Amino acid sequence: MSKSKITVIGSINMDLVTSTSRIPKVGETLLGDSFHTIPGGKGANQAVAAARLGADVTMIGAVGDDSFGEMLVSNLTNQGINTENIIRVQDCCTGIASITISDRDNSIIVVPGANSHVTPDMIEKNEDKIKNSDILLLQLEIPLESVIRAVELAKKHNTLTILNPAPVMELPMELLGMVDYLTPNEHEQMLLFASTDGTEKELEKLKEKCIVTKGSKGVILYSNGNDVKIPSIPVEAVDTTGAGDSFNGALAFSLCEGMKIEDACRFANVVGAISVTKLGAQNGMPTKKEVEEFLE
Ligand code: ATP
C-alpha cells in the first residue's frame, strides 16, 4: 500500500531556550543556568509528528541563509521528510523563538524571519504538491494570505484541509468556510468564535468542523448538533510543549489512513498523550511502533 501523502505548509523555527533563576528586569544582565537550541515552529513540529508515524510528508516553508536554517532542514530530512520545497531566503534570518524560562515565569520573543517569505506566489509554485496530496495541514505562523491561497488550491483539487488556528487571530469567513477541519484548543476556539462575525448558520457549520483539544481533558467534536467527548489517555505529563502539534500531525496521518473522524481523534489523543511524557516538542513524538507498544 502506498504511504499517506501529507503536505504541511508552515513555520520552521529554532527555539533558543535559556533557563535562569528569574527573568531579568529592564536594563539588567543576569547569568543564566543553561542554554539549548531546539528545532520548533508549529509547521515543522506537525510535519515531524506525521512523519514519525510513517506518513509520506512534504514540508513547504522557508528558512534563512544562516546556520540555523541548515540545521533545521537537515533535522527534517533526517526524519524522512521531503524538504525539496523549502526555500532558503538570502540575507534573511531563520525564524527563531527566544525563550527565557525561570521557575515561576517565562518570556518569549518570536522573530518570524524567513517564515514571512512563504508568500501566496510561493504557494502557487507548489500547486502540484497540494494537488497530489491526500491532506494539507496548515497553521497560522506564516502570512494569512498564503494560508488562504493554499486552502483555495486544496479546495480546487479536492485535497482535504486541516487548519490548526494557532496562534489564534481573527479569520475571514471566506477561509473558515473552505477548510474541512479546524483544530483549536479551548482558548483558541473561544477567541475564534468571538472574533468571527458569521451568520448563525455559518457559525453552526463552523462548529461542526471544529475538533477542540482540551489538554488532559481530551477532545470535543460537534457532530449533528451534539457534543462528542473523547477522553484523553491518562499519563504522567512531563512536558506538554508541542502536545497540540503532535495531535495535529497524528490526526492528519490517521485521516489519511482512512480512519473515521472519531477514531482518528482517538488515535491522535494517544499520540498527544505519549508526547507529553517526554521533554521537548519533537523529542516526545512517537513512532507508529511506539504507539502500538503503548496500547498493548
Ligand atoms: P500546545 O500549544 O502546548 O502544543 P495545545 O494547547 O495546542 O498544546 P492541548 O489541548 O493542550 O493542545 O493538547 C493537545 C492534545 O494532546 C490533547 O487533546 C490530548 O490529546 C493531548 N494531551 C495534552 N496534554 C495532555 C495530558 N496532560 N495528558 C494526556 N494527554 C494530553
Side-chain angles (χ1 to χ4, degrees):
M1 204 174 91
S2 74
K3 290 210 280 183
S4 330
K5 282 205 188 103
I6 297 171
T7 292
V8 181
I9 304 183
S11 57
I12 306 170
N13 286 342
M14 188 64 95
D15 292 346
L16 313 175
V17 185
T18 305
S19 300
T20 171
S21 53
R22 61 180 173 80
I23 307 293
K25 296 196 185 88
V26 175
E28 189 185 21
T29 301
L30 277 183
L31 274 185
D33 298 329
S34 69
F35 175 73
H36 293 98
T37 48
I38 305 173
K42 288 181 189 298
N45 284 348
Q46 295 181 16
V48 169
R52 288 257 172 92
L53 294 167
D56 177 353
V57 181
T58 294
M59 176 85 212
I60 296 176
V63 294
D65 58 351
D66 50 16
S67 56
F68 286 155
E70 245 166 67
M71 285 154 77
L72 292 172
V73 173
S74 335
N75 170 56
L76 295 173
T77 311
N78 292 341
Q79 312 273 348
I81 294 167
N82 177 354
T83 56
E84 279 168 18
N85 304 61
I86 296 175
I87 59 164
R88 302 291 300 258
V89 185
Q90 296 302 305
D91 300 322
C92 182
C93 70
T94 295
I96 60 109
S98 176
I99 304 169
T100 307
I101 303 174
S102 76
D103 279 349
R104 291 218 230 126
D105 300 301
N106 64 44
S107 72
I108 303 177
I109 299 175
V110 174
V111 181
N115 294 305
S116 312
H117 291 258
V118 182
T119 58
D121 190 41
M122 177 185 172
I123 302 292
E124 278 167 20
K125 289 193 179 116
N126 286 288
E127 180 167 353
D128 268 0
K129 263 286 159 206
I130 296 173
K131 180 181 172 186
N132 295 321
S133 300
D134 297 306
I135 295 216
L136 177 65
L137 179 56
L138 299 139
Q139 318 74 30
L140 296 173
E141 289 185 335
I142 56 167
L144 180 59
E145 62 267 29
S146 308
V147 173
I148 295 173
R149 190 67 193 123
V151 174
E152 281 169 355
L153 293 176
K155 192 92 193 150
K156 174 176 162 194
H157 297 296
N158 288 321
T159 300
L160 194 89
T161 47
I162 303 174
L163 173 62
N164 176 219
V168 70
M169 61 179 75
E170 199 175 322
L171 294 175
M173 224 351 132
E174 166 209 3
L175 170 65
L176 296 170
M178 280 189 296
V179 293
D180 294 298
Y181 291 110
L182 274 165
T183 54
N185 64 18
E186 267 181 307
H187 161 76
E188 289 154 359
Q189 185 214 21
M190 233 170 56
L191 292 178
L192 197 65
F193 275 80
S195 68
T196 302
D197 54 350
T199 61
E200 207 176 303
K201 204 170 159 203
E202 280 173 330
L203 292 179
E204 189 58 31
K205 260 193 161 171
L206 189 58
K207 228 174 143 189
E208 296 266 340
K209 295 178 178 190
C210 281
I211 295 165
V212 184
T213 65
K214 295 163 76 92
S216 61
K217 288 179 275 161
V219 176
I220 291 205
L221 312 180
Y222 298 94
S223 181
N224 301 319
N226 296 313
D227 286 1
V228 180
K229 292 193 181 116
I230 304 179
S232 72
I233 313 293
V235 288
E236 186 108 9
V238 174
D239 179 7
T240 59
T241 321
D245 293 335
S246 303
F247 182 91
N248 277 280
L251 182 73
F253 168 79
S254 46
L255 286 174
C256 265
E257 294 283 286
M259 286 188 210
K260 293 258 160 39
I261 188 66
E262 283 184 42
D263 291 333
C265 286
R266 270 190 200 96
F267 180 84
N269 248 353
V270 176
V271 173
I274 298 174
S275 79
V276 304
T277 63
K278 283 193 203 152
L279 270 180
Q282 294 182 11
N283 186 41
M285 292 168 176
T287 60
K288 183 116 187 272
K289 190 159 170 268
E290 283 169 324
V291 176
E292 282 160 6
E293 283 167 4
F294 180 88
L295 292 173
E296 269 171 12

